[in-house]
Amino acid sequence: MLVLRKHPDVIVVGSGITGAACAEALTRRGLRVAVLDRGPLASGTTACGEGNLLVSDKPPGPELALAQASLRRWPRLLAALADELGPGAACEYEPKGGLVVATGPEEAGALTEFAAAQRAAGVTARALTPAEAADREPGLTPEVRGAVFYPEDAQLQPVLAATALLAAVRARGGEVRTGVEAVGVDRTGDRVTGLVTRAGTIPCGAVVSACGPWTATFAAAAGAPLPVLPRRGVILVTAPLPPGTVRHKVYDAGYVGAVGSDDADLRTSTVVESTRAGTVLIGSSRQRAGFDDTVRIDVLRRLARRAAVLFPGLRNVPVMRAYGGFRPYTPDHLPVIGEDPRRPGLWHATGHEGAGIGLAAATGELLAELYAGERPHLDPEPFRVDRPGLEEPPCPQ
């Protein structure tokens, strides 16, 4: 039987960066919070991410508004965590900017139009000539025909960020437990009054589902099914390279189309960026194939070849490893944030697909604002559970 030190106001299911951000925002408001995870902390989707905080890949709309709010919030949140926790809150935050490049005239034209629409929505997007792009990234292919620089794009180390958020939860009296599998909710009538785990039922005032790609299983068990499915991605990691080999997050103009695609089949685009350790991360791929985690050599080859086209100097660089993970996909490509009207007391913070690291700060704040009855800092309506397009969930995979 699982026993917590105190009766929690809220139990957050999932210790990834989204769950951690929700728990941090709730404890900051004085609520007693317990975070439970069946595995090690931040070991799911968060551990398989690149740590991107992006506005560059999002067209005008609700997700862009959430991203803009989150990118504004991340530096303030990280500074507050550093004040509260000291050096243990370091998350390798780098506001290095993003560079999107096009190698064909049609791509260049589409990129120019996309950036213009983003500027109208308040995004800083600076068009560059091929020569200016080469000045920012000397290793780029000379085939670049157009580029846009996004100074607001940034990067952090996602596991460090999640664990810093969870450390703040603990410091404020919250509990964080691993090895606890949630299998449903306890309720009185339709209202949720507890979380059912394999170790017993824990009474609480509310449950927040931050289960990421595994949302569909938990939501169905809670009597509130959601169409959140896993979308697999793979990343290559090179051996450490000299500083300045890749200076920004760089990706080709086809990346935006791959992110917004509804295809279940494999989609790839070129994404290249460095880490503080000197390694270079190479992506990206997207495929809906359930929870099949088979490493496909043909996908790795495709990613490597495309990266070498964008950065010819990478052609002979050794790859140390490859890793993959599952992103929580929704049919309309929008996260689900808020209370479930079918099960009052059940809250969702999920469905961010590959943008969860960047969107987590604003997601946690929005959920906590709604829970506390505060005026939300952005419109929550596009993310509600009962929006059109989420009424007919497919069977969980």
Side-chain angles (χ1 to χ4, degrees), residues 366-387:
L366 178 60
L367 183 137
E369 289 165 344
L370 295 172
Y371 184 88
E374 301 171 6
R375 182 176 181 179
H377 71 285
L378 77 161
D379 184 8
E381 284 299 303
F383 312 110
R384 70 184 192 273
V385 180
D386 57 347
R387 66 182 185 256

Side-chain angles (χ1 to χ4, degrees), residues 100-103 107-108 110-111 251-258 269-270:
V100 186
V101 300
T103 55
E107 280 188 341
L111 177 58
Y251 58 88
D252 66 41
Y255 177 77
V256 173
S269 57
T270 308

Side-chain angles (χ1 to χ4, degrees), residues 184-259:
V185 296
D186 194 22
R187 62 183 195 269
T188 301
D190 286 334
R191 174 161 289 280
V192 172
T193 55
L195 178 72
V196 181
T197 76
R198 295 206 182 277
T201 298
I202 309 168
C204 61
V207 171
V208 176
S209 169
C211 301
W214 298 272
T215 291
T217 299
F218 179 74
L226 282 177
V228 180
L229 296 177
R231 201 178 191 193
R232 179 166 168 76
V234 179
I235 296 171
L236 300 178
V237 185
T238 74
L241 300 176
T245 301
V246 181
R247 301 174 180 179
H248 309 82
K249 176 188 173 69
V250 184
Y251 58 88
D252 66 41
Y255 177 77
V256 173
V259 170

Side-chain angles (χ1 to χ4, degrees), residues 284-354:
S284 71
S285 67
R286 282 171 164 77
Q287 184 178 25
R288 293 209 316 273
F291 286 103
D292 181 1
D293 61 359
T294 304
V295 176
R296 290 176 47 188
I297 299 301
D298 62 318
V299 176
L300 304 185
R301 285 175 176 161
R302 188 185 302 189
L303 295 178
R305 286 169 179 163
R306 293 183 64 147
V309 169
L310 199 60
F311 282 87
L314 295 177
R315 187 168 290 115
N316 296 316
V317 170
V319 172
M320 291 196 307
R321 65 188 180 98
Y323 64 92
F326 300 103
R327 308 176 180 103
Y329 166 92
T330 61
D332 60 4
H333 302 284
L334 288 177
V336 184
I337 307 168
E339 189 173 22
D340 197 312
R342 299 166 295 182
R343 289 286 183 269
L346 174 63
W347 293 69
H348 301 283
T350 186
H352 299 76
E353 201 175 326

Side-chain angles (χ1 to χ4, degrees), residues 8-339:
D9 297 311
V10 181
I11 297 176
V12 177
V13 182
S15 68
I17 199 160
T18 299
C22 291
E24 187 281 329
L26 290 164
T27 56
R28 196 165 7 95
R29 288 162 170 81
L31 294 159
R32 294 188 302 274
V33 177
V35 180
L36 307 181
D37 201 305
R38 65 184 179 184
L41 298 182
S43 62
T45 300
T46 296
C48 300
E50 297 169 87
N52 293 323
L53 316 181
L54 305 181
V55 292
S56 55
D57 62 340
K58 297 170 182 63
E63 188 184 22
L64 176 59
L66 187 66
Q68 290 171 304
S70 210
L71 263 68
R72 289 191 297 267
R73 171 144 192 78
W74 266 119
R76 300 196 303 269
L77 178 56
L78 295 175
L81 291 174
D83 287 342
E84 183 176 356
L85 303 172
C91 301
E92 299 183 6
Y93 174 74
E94 293 184 85
K96 60 184 178 181
L99 184 65
V100 186
V101 300
T103 55
E106 291 185 7
E107 280 188 341
L111 177 58
T112 298
E113 292 179 7
F114 185 78
Q118 289 180 303
R119 281 192 289 270
V123 174
T124 301
R126 300 172 185 163
L128 304 180
T129 65
E132 290 170 331
D135 285 341
R136 288 193 172 273
E137 289 288 350
L140 270 175
T141 173
E143 300 302 315
V144 169
R145 294 293 175 264
V148 177
F149 178 60
Y150 291 87
E152 295 166 288
D153 281 1
Q155 185 180 22
L156 52 70
Q157 213 292 338
V159 174
L160 293 179
T163 52
L165 292 165
L166 294 172
V169 171
R170 285 195 186 102
R172 298 165 189 166
E175 296 190 60
V176 180
R177 300 285 190 93
T178 59
V180 181
E181 184 175 358
V183 295
V185 296
D186 194 22
R187 62 183 195 269
T188 301
D190 286 334
R191 174 161 289 280
V192 172
T193 55
L195 178 72
V196 181
T197 76
R198 295 206 182 277
T201 298
I202 309 168
C204 61
V207 171
V208 176
S209 169
C211 301
W214 298 272
T215 291
T217 299
F218 179 74
L226 282 177
V228 180
L229 296 177
R231 201 178 191 193
R232 179 166 168 76
V234 179
I235 296 171
L236 300 178
V237 185
T238 74
L241 300 176
T245 301
V246 181
R247 301 174 180 179
H248 309 82
K249 176 188 173 69
V250 184
Y251 58 88
D252 66 41
Y255 177 77
V256 173
V259 170
S261 169
D262 294 321
D263 291 348
D265 293 337
L266 177 67
R267 291 288 300 267
T268 61
S269 57
T270 308
V271 183
V272 181
E273 63 187 310
S274 62
T275 70
R276 284 194 179 179
T279 58
V280 172
L281 307 180
I282 296 172
S284 71
S285 67
R286 282 171 164 77
Q287 184 178 25
R288 293 209 316 273
F291 286 103
D292 181 1
D293 61 359
T294 304
V295 176
R296 290 176 47 188
I297 299 301
D298 62 318
V299 176
L300 304 185
R301 285 175 176 161
R302 188 185 302 189
L303 295 178
R305 286 169 179 163
R306 293 183 64 147
V309 169
L310 199 60
F311 282 87
L314 295 177
R315 187 168 290 115
N316 296 316
V317 170
V319 172
M320 291 196 307
R321 65 188 180 98
Y323 64 92
F326 300 103
R327 308 176 180 103
Y329 166 92
T330 61
D332 60 4
H333 302 284
L334 288 177
V336 184
I337 307 168
E339 189 173 22

